[in-house]
Amino acid sequence: MGPYANPSQPRRSPAVDTLRALVPGNADVIRVRAATPTAATSWTWTQAEVLGAYQWPPYPGELLRPLDHTADDSTHASLTVCEFLAKHKSAGNVRLVRAGDATYTFSIILSRPRWEDWDEV
């Protein structure tokens, strides 16, 4: 980030930008589901899908606002999500929502909530 960059905005990264390309440009959070890695898949992520995309609500404590027509189970989306999870599953912007025998569901934050900037004013 340059000397005049806004520190309140998250640093853009190629990894997050690949996910951002799968959903509408105004998405702040996406939810993905991936098949559980097994010995048969050499413990790698091999199947995944985008379940939905959401915007932050205007105020803290309110529910995320879903965006229309954001589910994507295409091969491109699957490969993109699997590659992201292989490298960034433990990143601070990735949260495990549900773990099952066959799948994991994650929420991935693409941009910070706008209300976090209120404390900096």
Side-chain angles (χ1 to χ4, degrees):
M1 291 172 50
Y4 301 107
N6 183 351
S8 67
Q9 291 300 316
R11 186 176 297 185
R12 293 203 53 131
S13 73
V16 171
D17 286 345
T18 60
L19 294 178
R20 200 181 296 275
L22 298 174
V23 295
N26 57 347
D28 297 317
V29 178
I30 64 171
R31 187 155 291 174
V32 299
R33 179 172 48 215
T36 303
T38 64
T41 62
S42 301
W43 302 108
T44 60
W45 300 98
T46 57
Q47 294 179 331
E49 63 184 326
V50 175
L51 297 175
Y54 306 87
Q55 283 186 317
W56 293 113
Y59 300 100
E62 295 180 5
L63 296 175
L64 291 172
R65 296 181 306 189
L67 299 173
D68 291 334
H69 308 295
T70 56
D72 188 351
D73 62 354
S74 68
T75 301
H76 173 70
S78 179
L79 292 172
T80 302
V81 171
C82 288
E83 184 177 329
F84 180 87
L85 290 175
K87 296 177 183 173
H88 305 286
K89 180 182 67 137
S90 299
N93 65 326
V94 179
R95 293 193 171 88
L96 178 64
V97 176
R98 180 176 299 125
D101 292 340
T103 61
Y104 284 85
T105 303
F106 297 94
S107 280
I108 303 170
I109 299 171
L110 303 177
S111 60
R112 287 178 37 177
R114 291 165 220 20
W115 64 79
E116 285 188 3
D117 296 335
W118 295 350
D119 295 334
E120 298 171 10
V121 176

